[in-house]
Amino acid sequence: MNPSARHVVVIGNGMTGSRLADEVARRDPGGERVRLTVIGDENGPAYNRVLLPGVLAGIYTPEDIRLPFPDGPAVTLRTGTAATALDTARRRVTLDDGTALDYDECVLATGARAAFPPVDGVAAADGTPEPGVTALRDLADCRRVMALARPGAPVVVLGGGVLGLEAARALTARGVRVSLVESSPWIMRRQIDRPAADILADRYTALGVAVHSWRVASRWISGTGLELDDGRVLAGDALVVTAGVRGATDLARAAGLPVEHGVLVDDTLTTGDPRVHAIGDCAQHRGGGAGLVQPGWEQAAVLAGLLTGTAPEARYTGARPVTRLKAEGIDLTSLGDTEADDTAETVTIADPYGGRYAKLSVRDGRVAGAVLLGFPESASTIAQLYDGGDPVPADRLALLLGRAAPGAHTPDTGGDPVVCRCNAVPRSAIEAAWLDGARTRVDVAAATRATTGCGGCVRDVDTLLTGWSGTTPAPVG
Ligand SMILES: Cc1cc2nc3c(=O)[nH]c(=O)nc-3n(C[C@H](O)[C@H](O)[C@H](O)COP(=O)(O)OP(=O)(O)OC[C@H]3O[C@@H](n4cnc5c(N)ncnc54)[C@H](O)[C@@H]3O)c2cc1C
């Protein structure tokens, strides 16, 4: 390790803070350029927050979802410790254990916190949840929900967005009787259109979830349940609040950095202070990305290139968000503009009886937006077309049905589509890993990181491995 390497302090050991440490260590394994200290206020190692609904459903244990963290002479991790102040003039971070760290560069990776709506009985004035109420943001919340949600017991989920629907599905897997309340006219209002939401709500109803859309909660009565604005009371031993998040920006705000709903950053992920950077859910970039892991991991890679000087030209230019619902037995992908107006041509398939729905909007021959419920194969192809900005085959219906003419459905990405979006892993990297001896999904994950994000590409990787088993893939060009 180089004793005069620059000291970078990262505040937050979540999905992007730990990824930044990993990216820096890959570029500078001996600590010749950068000495890193990561501060995390959660106890224990970083974990894949995206997979918490899977822990709740019993699919994973907390150990299964651990994230890698580099060990090496130049990386120090301090967990169970919170940063309490940032002094940009003295370049110093104060910690809650009474110590302080001086930095050459500081990175805010403080993520977001669950927002509790102003409903009587839900949270105290200081934001602490009342008895029986919990969010689902971290492992501690997850353990709390598991303790409260006993099989057969009634639980209310407040918030019918992606997280609320994932939580509701996971709770049904535990044998819990779930009611879900959403104040918008339909569930997943921000990602899907009404017809899709109606079919999705029917699928949830069939799973035993009572869906109450366009209903406002008026009071949480601990030990009884949730009272709605129409006077009904939904029985609940617990209330799981999934009603949105707020960027954790207090440190930045108190330090005088420009903050709107997140800490403002430019394409180099630099805040209003040239020595302070922000990534992940706490950052606000003009091209968006907060709230999803893929943009945060991309930001971590860009910043690692800049901080180590290994990629001084690296820039983050924005996100093309794709949302996948992680709910066992339900395949739902939404991307782009899902309420495209008549400047786009739109093809729709509605199959309420079969619980399926597909809508594809095309503008200037490119995917403008799509909602795909129960169409996993075309979802994968359409997401690749959207990612690459590639031309859509002339037969839109065949594309939706996964029956585009041979060759036509393969996105024109030089034959190398992205398979794992979270980690930006193209098919060629998986093929190269296979040629190097990676024969299982675990081997492929170790070599490429594919499947280690939201898990949405597991099926695609398995399909590739199955297709190659017993054969030799064409050498990667
Ligand atoms: C249940 C759930 C499911 C999700 N599913 C998906 C999904 O399917 N796809 C997707 O793309 N995204 C999903 N997300 C969102 C995704 O998890 C976030 O976008 C991602 O975690 C952001 O990473 P981050 O590092 O910015 O924040 P976080 O992972 O939240 O990490 C921030 C860390 O900083 C710590 N911290 C905060 N303040 C301080 C301080 N002052 N001092 C020290 N430490 C501090 C926090 O405790 C936390 O550990 C999901 C989120 C949740 C909660």
Side-chain angles (χ1 to χ4, degrees):
M1 186 180 96
N2 174 1
S4 61
R6 289 177 331 119
H7 188 207
V8 176
V9 172
V10 181
I11 305 177
N13 184 37
M15 295 198 71
T16 62
S18 61
R19 175 56 74 99
L20 177 68
D22 198 45
E23 295 283 1
V24 166
R26 282 170 189 241
R27 289 164 175 76
D28 180 30
E32 292 306 312
R33 297 159 179 249
V34 165
R35 187 165 56 88
L36 207 63
T37 304
V38 181
I39 305 297
D41 62 1
E42 291 187 69
N43 289 310
Y47 54 87
N48 188 339
R49 200 173 299 284
V50 164
L51 299 180
L52 284 178
V55 174
L56 189 56
I59 299 167
Y60 306 110
T61 65
E63 290 68 40
D64 294 336
I65 65 167
R66 271 188 191 188
L67 287 174
F69 193 87
D71 54 353
V75 188
T76 307
L77 172 62
R78 291 170 67 172
T79 58
T81 309
T84 51
L86 170 64
D87 182 339
T88 54
R90 292 165 76 191
R91 284 202 251 133
R92 177 167 292 179
V93 176
T94 307
L95 308 180
D96 64 355
D97 60 6
T99 61
L101 292 165
D102 292 336
Y103 63 80
D104 291 300
E105 312 253 0
C106 177
V107 180
L108 298 166
T110 49
R113 297 201 183 92
F116 288 99
V119 174
D120 275 359
V122 166
D126 67 356
T128 314
E130 297 289 0
V133 178
T134 177
L136 182 57
R137 179 71 196 178
D138 57 28
L139 255 178
D141 291 336
C142 198
R143 293 196 172 102
R144 212 168 293 131
V145 179
M146 289 195 282
L148 288 165
R150 293 164 300 164
V155 168
V156 182
V157 175
L158 181 57
V162 178
L163 182 53
L165 287 163
E166 291 182 358
R169 179 68 185 104
L171 286 166
T172 61
R174 300 182 73 79
V176 170
R177 290 185 288 134
V178 184
S179 303
L180 181 128
V181 178
E182 167 55 47
S183 58
S184 303
W186 63 86
I187 54 177
M188 281 184 69
R189 174 76 179 81
R190 284 166 53 199
Q191 290 86 9
I192 62 178
D193 57 3
R194 181 161 208 151
D198 288 345
I199 295 175
L200 182 63
D202 286 346
R203 303 236 356 219
Y204 268 77
T205 305
L207 289 165
V209 177
V211 179
H212 303 269
S213 296
W214 217 345
R215 283 269 73 90
V216 176
S218 57
R219 185 163 59 122
W220 169 246
I221 311 163
S222 180
T224 302
L226 187 71
E227 187 178 75
L228 301 181
D229 54 353
D230 60 4
R232 263 181 307 168
V233 177
L234 306 176
D237 284 4
L239 179 69
V240 182
V241 178
T242 53
V245 294
R246 256 188 227 112
T249 56
D250 323 0
L251 281 177
R253 209 180 281 278
L257 298 174
V259 174
E260 288 176 2
H261 55 262
V263 185
L264 296 178
V265 292
D266 63 16
D267 290 3
T268 64
L269 289 325
T270 303
T271 67
D273 181 290
R275 300 271 190 156
V276 181
H277 311 271
I279 56 175
D281 283 2
C282 71
Q284 181 181 337
H285 181 271
R286 65 183 162 76
L292 291 171
V293 71
Q294 182 274 329
W297 279 354
E298 190 186 332
Q299 292 170 359
V302 167
L303 191 56
L306 294 169
L307 292 175
T308 56
T310 51
E313 74 297 344
R315 297 291 181 267
Y316 173 78
T317 53
R320 282 174 83 73
V322 174
T323 303
R324 279 203 177 97
L325 184 71
K326 305 186 301 301
E328 203 195 336
I330 298 176
D331 207 296
L332 173 60
T333 300
S334 132
L335 50 85
D337 180 4
T338 56
E339 302 268 8
D341 56 19
D342 51 15
T343 61
E345 71 179 271
T346 296
V347 184
T348 308
I349 302 168
D351 174 16
Y353 183 74
R356 308 195 323 157
Y357 178 85
K359 177 164 119 177
L360 171 68
S361 298
V362 177
R363 193 177 285 120
D364 301 327
R366 308 286 196 271
V367 175
V371 177
L372 300 151
L373 171 59
F375 289 83
E377 261 129 51
S378 48
S380 172
T381 308
I382 290 168
Q384 287 169 14
L385 289 167
Y386 176 67
D387 266 342
D390 297 315
V392 174
D395 189 343
R396 293 12 175 176
L397 185 59
L399 174 67
L400 276 181
L401 294 171
R403 285 194 215 128
H409 65 291
T410 307
D412 182 18
T413 50
D416 194 11
V418 173
V419 177
C420 172
R421 291 194 83 257
C422 295
N423 288 291
V425 185
R427 182 191 142 114
S428 63
I430 296 170
E431 204 170 347
W434 195 88
L435 284 169
D436 284 344
R439 291 292 181 271
T440 65
R441 196 199 306 152
V442 174
D443 296 340
V444 168
T448 66
R449 289 177 171 157
T451 73
T452 62
C454 74
C457 63
V458 163
R459 186 186 5 228
D460 295 340
V461 171
D462 284 349
T463 305
L464 287 175
L465 290 176
T466 308
W468 292 333
S469 67
T471 70
T472 307
V476 179

